[in-house]
Amino acid sequence: RRVRGISSGFGMLRPVLLLLRLLLLLLPQQTQGGSCSSGMEFPRETWNLVPPSQAGFDPDLLNRSWTKLATLGPIGNVFLSRCGSLVQAVGDTSRPGLVWSLGKTLAAMAAGRLVTLNQIGLHDELELSDNPVLAAQELGLDEELFSDGVGGGRRRTLFEFLSMSSDFGLANPEPGRSAAYNNNAVSRVCSNSCATLCWKVDFYAAFLQRRVALLSDPVEFVRRMIFDHIGQEDEITLAEAGHVSGYKGGFSASPRDLARIGVLLLANGSWTNRSVIQSEFVDSASKPQIASDARVNQDKVGEKWWNIGALSGALPFSEAGHVGQMGGDRGYGLSLWVLPEMFGRAYHASGLYGNYVIVDPENGLVVATQNHADKHPSAAAYLACIRSALMNGSQSDGAMCDQLTARPHERE
């Protein structure tokens, strides 16, 4: 009888246990731990919404975080995701807006797709003239924009363009060993010297689009390479000036569509178990790629679109972070900035006026911001304040949030 009674008791409990099991399955997996190792949700036609409390946030602390960030200036339209689900949207995250230098990251992801398809190698040299004017002619770009460029140096590799180490169009080039934040080269890509040049983005992107993917339109190039695989809800366009690098605004996209790029990176280049970008490329893109002792090319410093000096100086790896630049970032990967050490493996794509896509693998977070303010929170401030609202967040995140919200971040 005793055995029968126990068996009968279990029989009565079985529906309760099944109900509890069902409820546990319905809970978002990201509440079980910091990362998304237990599972990812990928947005389809639209995003799955999970309330902050179920996504592991303290709702009151999260609201307080937005208030703190707003002391620095407008926080813009913010799309917060955890493990691929929408947690909170602040403002209108469906409205497309100029993304500026975030276009560099879109071009880099398209490059990663072509590398994954074995249509080009990351370390392949691009078959273009070392003279910017002649290279522009070859690619059908406006050669007048590159008339101030300097020819010379060997052919640059795709890796050098993506890492801002190509020195393309600068005097005394040392591809692969020098750095410069150069917008021009993004179309073409950099190597050893650090200089941030937007134009080089236009060169390598145009090369990949026209010579490798055989497409005539930059928007179609980005759509075919990336968004056809991860989806989009809103229109993506390119400003009339036509600069993929972000010069004069570049692409326009909504925060919720840009957040899909963040989820793709968070999932190491996979989307619903399909490889869109090989994980090796994502790993390289999200880690510092310019040596700490790399020379920062000083040619054309101060000529905003040829060599943005402050950003060029922040390209080489610095364990302590570049204080006062890019929110203290530690260096540059492949069109991605690496956040300070306290944030672990976190990194971000960055555009002028406070436009970011922030990825925090350890906590499964993606934050996409759309802004147009001279004074605004840095990527580090956004992430510190958002992490401080996690139920399992550390006190150091709260302290860092307070520290970083003490003064506005101004990006050149």
Side-chain angles (χ1 to χ4, degrees):
R1 281 178 197 164
R2 187 176 301 152
V3 172
R4 187 180 302 134
I6 293 173
S7 175
S8 174
F10 273 119
M12 294 176 64
L13 283 174
R14 186 173 297 149
V16 177
L17 293 172
L18 287 173
L19 179 60
L20 287 173
R21 184 179 180 186
L22 178 61
L23 289 173
L24 285 172
L25 288 172
L26 290 174
L27 283 174
Q29 296 180 14
Q30 55 262 47
T31 62
Q32 306 303 314
S35 72
C36 306
S37 57
S38 57
M40 281 279 296
E41 176 79 26
F42 292 91
R44 298 182 186 275
E45 289 79 13
T46 189
W47 291 74
N48 178 45
L49 175 62
V50 176
S53 58
Q54 291 185 27
F57 285 94
D58 181 315
D60 292 334
L61 288 180
L62 188 57
N63 288 333
R64 221 172 294 167
S65 294
W66 303 131
T67 301
K68 286 183 180 181
L69 288 165
T71 63
L72 302 177
I75 66 171
N77 301 315
V78 185
F79 191 96
L80 171 61
S81 164
R82 193 170 196 197
C83 295
S85 292
L86 167 61
V87 175
Q88 195 168 63
V90 179
D92 185 358
T93 58
S94 66
R95 180 179 63 84
L98 296 174
V99 304
W100 301 90
S101 283
L102 271 174
K104 295 177 175 63
T105 303
L106 295 180
M109 296 303 101
R113 177 62 180 166
L114 290 173
V115 170
T116 302
L117 295 173
N118 293 317
Q119 293 187 22
I120 191 170
L122 185 56
H123 296 282
D124 285 356
E125 293 182 348
L126 304 192
E127 296 181 5
L128 283 171
S129 170
D130 68 336
N131 184 300
V133 172
L134 295 178
Q137 291 174 354
E138 293 173 21
L139 292 171
L141 299 173
D142 185 353
E143 60 191 74
E144 289 187 15
L145 292 174
F146 307 100
S147 59
D148 293 335
V150 179
R154 60 164 171 78
R155 283 178 173 170
R156 276 62 162 184
T157 67
L158 179 59
F159 177 89
E160 290 166 348
F161 275 112
L162 291 169
S163 63
M164 291 288 182
S165 62
S166 71
D167 272 359
F168 180 73
L170 298 179
N172 305 310
E174 293 184 82
R177 295 184 301 175
S178 177
Y181 194 88
N182 177 337
N183 289 309
N184 297 292
V186 176
S187 330
R188 182 109 188 287
V189 189
C190 314
S191 162
N192 231 345
S193 172
C194 308
T196 71
L197 293 149
C198 290
W199 302 116
K200 61 195 172 192
V201 176
D202 289 326
F203 271 102
Y204 91 78
F207 179 89
L208 296 179
Q209 171 202 318
R210 300 178 189 188
R211 296 275 187 88
V212 182
L214 304 179
L215 296 171
S216 60
D217 179 66
V219 175
E220 184 186 9
F221 174 54
V222 169
R223 180 181 59 77
R224 290 269 294 274
M225 293 299 105
I226 301 298
F227 288 101
D228 276 1
H229 303 281
I230 66 176
Q232 67 183 86
E233 295 181 69
D234 309 303
E235 188 179 19
I236 296 175
T237 59
L238 185 63
E240 187 177 354
H243 296 291
V244 171
S245 62
Y247 176 58
K248 294 189 176 181
F251 287 105
S252 284
S254 68
R256 66 181 180 181
D257 280 346
L258 290 173
R260 290 174 182 256
I261 296 288
V263 171
L264 177 65
L265 291 167
L266 184 66
N268 295 315
S270 292
W271 196 266
T272 60
N273 297 319
R274 291 182 298 107
S275 178
V276 178
I277 300 173
Q278 59 184 220
S279 59
E280 295 84 357
F281 185 93
V282 174
D283 185 62
S284 296
S286 59
K287 292 179 179 178
Q289 294 298 333
I290 299 177
S292 58
D293 60 352
R295 176 180 71 99
V296 177
N297 196 319
Q298 297 297 317
D299 186 43
K300 295 183 174 60
V301 169
E303 297 177 36
K304 189 165 187 177
W305 303 113
W306 272 104
N307 191 348
I308 306 174
L311 296 182
S312 295
L315 293 171
F317 174 68
S318 169
E319 187 67 49
H322 295 279
V323 179
Q325 293 300 328
M326 299 301 299
D329 289 343
R330 289 181 289 159
Y332 198 67
L334 304 181
S335 300
L336 293 169
W337 294 92
V338 182
L339 280 156
E341 185 178 18
M342 71 155 289
F343 296 110
R345 295 184 293 119
Y347 52 90
H348 66 98
S350 177
L352 196 64
Y353 302 126
N355 292 277
Y356 300 113
V357 175
I358 306 163
V359 181
D360 178 8
E362 292 177 10
N363 291 289
L365 298 175
V366 170
V367 186
T369 69
Q370 181 189 75
N371 212 336
H372 195 80
D374 288 327
K375 294 185 178 181
H376 53 78
S378 65
Y382 276 111
L383 186 54
C385 292
I386 288 170
R387 281 173 39 153
S388 72
L390 288 169
M391 293 178 185
N392 62 348
S394 68
Q395 291 184 344
S396 61
D397 288 320
M400 181 60 72
C401 173
D402 292 337
Q403 178 183 331
L404 292 173
T405 54
R407 63 184 181 84
H409 174 64
E410 295 185 54
R411 163 110 193 257
E412 292 187 15

